[in-house]
Amino acid sequence: MTNSISPAQAWQRLLDGNARFVAEESQHPNQGAVRRSELVNTQNPFAVIFGCSDSRLAAEIIFDLGLGDAFVVRTAGHVLDDAVLGSLEFSVSVLKVPLIVVLGHDNCGAVTATKEALETGEMPQRFIRDLVERITPSVLASLRDGRTEINDMVVDHARLTAERLLESSPVIAAAVHDSSTAVIGVAYRLEEGRIQLVTDSELL
């Protein structure tokens, strides 16, 4: 399987879709019976969106996408774990997707919980604690740089998650090295509905 568009072209498609969403001109593409039939035995998504599970962050809606357009992985606070890494490696090595977007958003509950845990010294119980522990390095990085607002931490967390993804996965790092894939961090503004690139990429 190959993908016919570049990382830059994939990013432009996402930008165009988000612009339509913000302008209330969404086209809702690829959502009919014909598209369903086309995808029964194959898929060729042009982007991976690894985002927060927040109910206000529905990737296909904010990027005006349809069936088969995006390979979507979501966890609270877009936290990386082995299952996420396996899913993202599958998208790159098997589906040949040219762009991975790490999608964070303002007022993120997971980042807020992490900030509060660091301030109070009281960690959540059980599996929520695992989420907080995985987000803690990003929040600490923000605090070290004097950024104490949640939305600044969200930006840092998206950017640092993109970096950690490359550090954690030799498969994805190799794809980025040969320019077949790009990994970027993006922040979403809930009120505006607009996305913002928060990492630098030579491919874009």
Side-chain angles (χ1 to χ4, degrees), residues 71 73 75 79-90:
F71 187 89
V73 180
T75 61
V79 163
L80 287 171
D81 61 18
D82 289 349
V84 168
L85 289 169
S87 299
L88 298 180
E89 287 188 351
F90 174 83

Side-chain angles (χ1 to χ4, degrees), residues 174-196:
V176 170
H177 181 73
D178 69 19
S179 300
S180 61
T181 298
V183 177
I184 59 175
V186 170
Y188 175 76
R189 296 295 181 183
L190 292 171
E191 185 170 355
E192 300 172 9
R194 194 179 304 277
I195 58 170
Q196 171 194 1

Side-chain angles (χ1 to χ4, degrees), residues 75-133:
T75 61
H78 53 78
V79 163
L80 287 171
D81 61 18
D82 289 349
V84 168
L85 289 169
S87 299
L88 298 180
E89 287 188 351
F90 174 83
S91 72
V92 169
S93 61
V94 178
L95 300 179
K96 309 299 181 184
V97 180
L99 180 65
I100 297 176
V101 175
V102 177
L103 180 62
H105 66 96
D106 54 3
N107 299 319
C108 178
V111 174
T112 300
T114 303
K115 180 175 182 286
E116 291 176 351
L118 290 172
E119 289 174 343
T120 65
E122 297 180 5
M123 291 293 288
Q125 298 299 307
R126 299 179 62 79
F127 295 109
I128 298 177
R129 180 184 183 124
D130 183 64
L131 290 174
V132 166
E133 288 176 345

Side-chain angles (χ1 to χ4, degrees), residues 12-79:
Q12 189 60 53
R13 285 183 66 176
L14 293 179
L15 283 174
D16 292 344
N18 181 245
R20 293 193 300 270
F21 171 68
V22 171
E24 298 187 26
E25 296 174 353
S26 295
Q27 297 174 356
H28 310 291
N30 298 327
Q31 296 182 18
V34 172
R35 181 64 166 175
R36 289 202 308 269
S37 297
E38 292 173 348
L39 295 171
V40 169
N41 296 311
T42 188
Q43 62 170 316
N44 191 30
F46 72 87
V48 176
I49 301 172
F50 170 41
C52 181
S53 298
D54 193 291
S55 62
R56 301 164 291 180
L57 201 67
E60 290 88 348
I61 294 176
I62 68 174
F63 290 110
D64 193 25
L65 303 174
L67 298 173
D69 289 335
F71 187 89
V72 180
V73 180
R74 299 175 70 180
T75 61
H78 53 78
V79 163

